[in-house]
Structures are given as structure tokens and as C-alpha cells.
Amino acid sequence: MKMPPTHDHHSREMTLAIKMARRAFDKEEVPVGAVLVLEDGSTISGHNQTRTWRDPTAHAEMVVIKKAIRKIKNERFVGTALYVTLEPCAMCAGAIIQARIPLVVFGASDPKAGACGSVLKVLPNKRLNHRPQVIGGVLGEECAGILKEFFRRKRKGRMGVSR
């Protein structure tokens, strides 16, 4: 995949992930969005669905990976890039490794569950067989802001979300 390494390009793709996070927010899901850019430049997007589907594995990254499997009919995502508004957790990092996604770009760091260095160092990890390139902090303030607003409203009792 010929991916321009420019910040503008990453910002454009992250903006799509942010739109997905806002959809999750509107559905009272923890507002995390993800976009997978395929080798041909097309995109697959999704957002957290854990409450809607009553499925703890339905993180935005997992939703997008499952959609991509159906579209590309392959479990290996060579030539793709994943954009996600929040640093992937250990579960999602494991799926990213198994899918062989070569580039992961995230917005906000996750000091409670991040697996790209905030809590754990799953991505990248030199001891693993697949080590995607990881770029963090792309539109990080905007990504973090959506999460902060969501949890602020939750604490004030204006949303029915519980963990």
C-alpha cells in the first residue's frame, strides 16, 4: 500500500474515525471510532458496539476487523492502515497482530488500558512475529475531548451508560 506518511493524510483519516466515535456517543456507547483503509484506498468504518450487542469484544477495532474479513474474504490485512480514536487495548492489539495490519494510528492515549505503551507494550513488541508501525496522538486532543465529554455526562447522570 502506498501510504503517504504526512500528518495531513493521517488527520484526514482520523477525522473519519472521529465521526464514527460521535455516532457511538449518540448511541450512548463509549465513543471510540475506527477506520480501516484498504489497499485500494476504500475504507471500512465502525464504532464501539459493546452495549448495543451486549458483547464485551465489540470494540471499534474488532467491529472493523470483522467487517473487513467479510469484505476482503481474508484474515490477513496486508497493505492496510487502521485509524482508531483511542489507543488499542490488549484484546484489540492481539487482533491487530493476528490480522497483520501494518500501520496503526491512534488519537488519544489510554492510561487505563492502552496496549501501545500507556499500560502495556503489545504494539509494537520486538518479541512478537508481527510488529506494526504505531503512530499516536493524531488529533489526540479532539479524540480525548469526546471521551471526556461522554464520561462527564455519564457522571452527571445524563446518559444511561454503565461499565
Side-chain angles (χ1 to χ4, degrees):
M1 176 177 169
K2 303 279 187 206
M3 182 74 102
T6 65
H7 185 73
D8 287 344
H9 176 78
H10 294 314
S11 295
R12 186 171 56 249
E13 303 298 345
M14 187 61 73
T15 298
L16 296 173
I18 289 169
K19 286 180 184 176
M20 296 309 298
R22 292 188 193 287
R23 284 189 190 169
F25 188 109
D26 293 343
K27 295 178 180 179
E28 296 188 5
E29 292 278 359
V30 174
V32 178
V35 173
L36 184 71
V37 180
L38 302 178
E39 200 164 12
D40 66 3
S42 65
T43 60
I44 297 172
S45 58
H47 57 77
N48 273 3
Q49 298 276 351
T50 56
R51 289 182 50 80
T52 302
W53 295 352
R54 300 199 184 290
D55 178 354
T57 70
H59 290 193
E61 300 95 315
M62 301 298 284
V63 169
V64 167
I65 287 170
K66 288 176 183 178
K67 284 182 178 181
I69 290 166
R70 290 190 299 272
K71 181 173 181 172
I72 66 175
K73 297 178 179 32
N74 196 332
E75 73 282 5
R76 300 286 190 250
F77 298 3
V78 177
T80 64
L82 179 66
Y83 293 81
V84 61
T85 58
L86 183 64
E87 179 181 1
C89 70
M91 173 185 68
C92 294
I96 289 164
I97 291 165
Q98 295 304 316
R100 304 298 193 266
I101 297 171
L103 175 63
V104 177
V105 180
F106 69 87
S109 295
D110 186 349
K112 294 185 178 183
C116 298
S118 291
V119 176
L120 302 170
K121 182 76 172 193
V122 178
L123 298 179
N125 186 316
K126 65 183 178 181
R127 293 175 289 182
L128 298 174
N129 64 329
H130 177 69
R131 295 175 293 279
Q133 178 185 2
V134 177
I135 300 169
V138 175
L139 301 181
E141 288 183 26
E142 187 173 352
C143 294
I146 296 166
L147 287 158
K148 287 176 184 173
E149 175 64 15
F150 177 83
F151 287 110
R152 184 187 66 75
R153 287 187 186 190
K154 181 182 164 193
R155 282 188 301 277
K156 287 188 172 186
R158 296 195 325 207
M159 297 183 108
V161 178
S162 62
R163 273 206 159 198

